[in-house]
Amino acid sequence: MPLLLLRELPRFDCLLQAATRYPDLDPSATAAFLHLLHTGDLVFASEAKALATFTLSQGRFSILMLLNRHPDQPETPASLAQQAGVSRATITGLLDNLEKDGLIARGSAISDRRLTPIHLTSKGAELMDSVLPKYFQHVAKLLETLNSEERVQLVGLLQKIQHGIASPELESSEPLG
């Protein structure tokens, strides 16, 4: 689902004009922010389309990737939810569907389902072995317009933004509403 919901971004001169009406509007920051959101939307849509060829959603793929990292070490639903950044209700639905499709298996039932060990089945591991080479080709294709040095620079810049988002000053700022 797109975050920006704009097909075309405003031109920089429009942002300059808007800044005369809204003095707190920093045109270069707003332009960078809108381009970041727009790029995220394009990447998200491209990934969703690529995964759909394997009948995988991004949520299902994320869970399979987490389980594929250490196939010999089962994960718990609570741990998977935390690592994927989703609610426990969401993880339950994802796991139920992955189990129904034979891609994961739950270990022996214990009283608390949140602690039940989850692992990839051989079918799930085979799927990941067929998906990942094509997925990594897709990722490389998305970023082929950047050379290696530019990719390193991009990662550094994105990490800088991420660090700023996590700063106490931004977390303590007043909500918009």
Side-chain angles (χ1 to χ4, degrees), residues 160-175:
K160 196 172 183 178
I161 292 169
Q162 293 161 11
H163 180 73
I165 290 169
S167 73
E169 299 86 34
L170 191 57
E171 288 181 358
S172 66
S173 66
E174 291 184 32

Side-chain angles (χ1 to χ4, degrees), residues 60 64 98-104 119-131:
R60 289 167 50 101
L64 293 172
L98 289 167
E99 184 177 35
K100 182 184 69 152
D101 292 344
L103 301 174
I104 64 150
H119 63 273
L120 280 177
T121 61
S122 58
K123 181 179 177 182
E126 289 172 16
L127 175 66
M128 293 307 287
D129 288 344
S130 70
V131 169

Side-chain angles (χ1 to χ4, degrees), residues 62-63 66 69 75-92 94-95 114:
S62 294
I63 300 309
L66 290 169
R69 287 192 307 184
E75 294 277 357
T76 64
S79 172
L80 289 169
Q82 189 272 327
Q83 292 176 71
V86 299
S87 71
R88 293 194 180 174
T90 299
I91 201 72
T92 299
L94 287 168
L95 294 176
R114 293 173 297 178

